[in-house]
Amino acid sequence: MGQETTKNGTKSKLNIRIPVFVAVFVLAIGVLVLFAVKKPKALFPAMFQEKKQILFLGDSNIAYDFSEKDIPQMLSEKMDVVAYNAAVGGTCAHHKNEPYPMESFYTMLDLANITKMMETGDFTCVLRDKDMLDQGGDIRDKMMVLQHLDYKAMDYVIIHYGINDYMAAAPLEGKHANDDTSYAGSLRSSVIRLHKLCPDATVIISSIPFCWGYDKTNDEYISGLEYDYGGGTIDRYFEASKEVASEFGYVYFLDNLTDCVENTEVEESPYHQDRVHYSQEGRELYVERLSNLLRELDRNEES
């Protein structure tokens, strides 16, 4: 009897150990697989680290190539730099509490929210929304860049917003200086977040460019310097962004409006392919102005 009990006890222990061993083995394999497929947090820049690294945040004039080349690509070729295009078409600088009258990602991916996601490293609210990703085209790629970007390696961050804020009648200022629901407030708070993330980067606030407003009542296009959607004419947004840039020692201002005002009909515009989007000529003019500013800043840094 004693011997049999010992055998049964031994069998019981073996019966327990086998599934435990299997469970531990499976867990170990799972961990190895996880480490094998999980990418490191920072994938960019992985190459050409000797070149200037530039991050673009902005709206459609930065985001899209319009069947040519987008502005970050053009700047990369012109100045031999590495440019990361994380701009999202249709987005504003300010955070709109009421849904913006377009697809959901336009509101979710405003400058205020983007910089908060960058700060926390949490992009799941975007990446888990299949419907939004399907609507947004290249949104997944833009978010993956931001999720895996080495922010401390950035030399410049370009912020280019304004036209959608103007058309959405964004308030220029809010209840307090860093109020994300206002145009200037969102620029301020986002600049502060970006400086914490990219401590060695120079931030450039790129002003609203010239555009036309659309008067629905009379079905006509009117210069943005004259037409007000409710938040102000485009020169008011220009001055607001210029003021924000002047408040920080590490922020510079790119003027896209002075000497760029068009007095032609919309259809005859050399710099716009419609009332708000740059033509190829318009993108070339923008890149020329931006590259001149970057060269000037580089010279100042070297001297």
Side-chain angles (χ1 to χ4, degrees):
M1 284 288 290
Q3 183 64 29
E4 186 176 345
T5 302
T6 303
K7 285 181 180 179
N8 289 340
T10 303
K11 286 179 181 178
S12 297
K13 288 179 181 178
L14 284 173
N15 289 338
I16 294 170
R17 286 175 182 170
I18 289 171
V20 170
F21 174 78
V22 171
V24 171
F25 178 76
V26 170
L27 180 62
I29 293 297
V31 170
L32 289 173
V33 170
L34 179 65
F35 277 100
V37 299
K38 186 178 180 183
K39 296 179 180 179
K41 186 173 182 181
L43 293 177
F44 315 106
M47 300 175 65
F48 308 114
Q49 296 185 45
E50 73 283 358
K51 296 183 179 182
K52 294 288 184 183
Q53 307 284 319
I54 302 176
L55 171 62
F56 281 85
L57 301 173
D59 55 29
S60 54
N61 269 320
I62 301 296
Y64 302 138
D65 59 17
F66 301 99
S67 301
E68 299 280 348
K69 291 180 180 178
D70 63 40
I71 282 173
Q73 286 177 302
M74 293 168 68
L75 184 74
S76 294
E77 294 175 5
K78 187 177 183 68
M79 296 192 68
D80 193 26
V81 298
V82 179
Y84 302 96
N85 186 351
V88 179
T91 52
C92 298
H94 83 293
H95 178 66
K96 196 172 175 65
N97 286 326
E98 296 294 324
Y100 192 60
M102 291 185 182
E103 288 91 336
S104 60
F105 66 85
Y106 290 136
T107 298
M108 184 177 287
L109 298 180
D110 57 50
L111 176 64
N113 277 352
I114 281 281
T115 53
K116 287 174 183 176
M117 291 180 207
M118 292 167 64
E119 188 174 45
T120 62
D122 185 1
F123 293 85
T124 53
C125 62
V126 181
L127 296 175
R128 72 186 174 195
D129 192 330
K130 185 179 182 301
D131 291 337
M132 186 179 69
L133 293 173
D134 290 343
Q135 292 174 38
D138 62 352
I139 299 298
R140 186 190 302 274
D141 294 338
K142 301 290 179 70
M143 296 304 101
M144 290 299 287
V145 167
L146 289 177
Q147 193 175 32
H148 296 292
L149 191 64
D150 182 358
Y151 297 121
K152 288 183 170 58
M154 295 301 103
D155 295 291
Y156 292 99
V157 180
I158 315 296
I159 300 174
H160 180 88
Y161 294 87
I163 287 182
N164 294 313
D165 295 272
Y166 160 65
M167 293 193 298
L172 295 168
E173 294 286 355
K175 295 179 180 178
H176 53 85
N178 296 340
D179 185 348
D180 286 334
T181 64
S182 69
Y183 178 63
S186 179
L187 289 176
R188 286 191 192 94
S189 65
S190 298
V191 160
I192 292 169
R193 292 184 202 106
L194 288 168
H195 185 56
K196 289 178 182 176
L197 288 165
C198 315
D200 297 325
T202 297
V203 177
I204 294 175
I205 293 179
S206 176
S207 83
I208 187 172
F210 178 78
C211 67
W212 284 267
Y214 176 60
D215 181 356
K216 288 184 180 179
T217 304
N218 298 304
D219 189 26
E220 64 176 335
Y221 295 118
I222 301 172
S223 166
L225 293 168
E226 299 172 10
Y227 190 75
D228 182 350
Y229 282 97
T233 49
I234 58 174
D235 52 308
R236 298 285 306 283
Y237 289 89
F238 174 90
E239 292 298 335
S241 59
K242 186 176 183 180
E243 171 60 30
V244 172
S246 71
E247 295 170 6
F248 301 90
Y250 50 87
V251 180
Y252 290 83
F253 184 70
L254 178 64
D255 182 349
N256 300 310
L257 189 59
T258 305
D259 298 328
C260 293
V261 175
E262 295 186 283
N263 298 311
T264 61
E265 296 295 327
V266 176
E267 297 78 12
E268 299 171 4
S269 166
Y271 299 118
H272 291 78
Q273 62 182 42
D274 53 29
R275 66 191 174 103
V276 297
H277 295 115
Y278 284 135
S279 63
Q280 179 64 18
E281 260 188 274
R283 289 195 293 280
E284 288 172 0
L285 178 61
Y286 180 92
V287 170
E288 184 65 28
R289 286 194 168 206
L290 178 56
S291 60
N292 287 341
L293 175 59
L294 291 174
R295 288 192 183 99
E296 180 184 343
L297 294 174
D298 285 345
R299 285 194 296 270
N300 291 344
E301 186 180 319
E302 291 169 3
S303 62

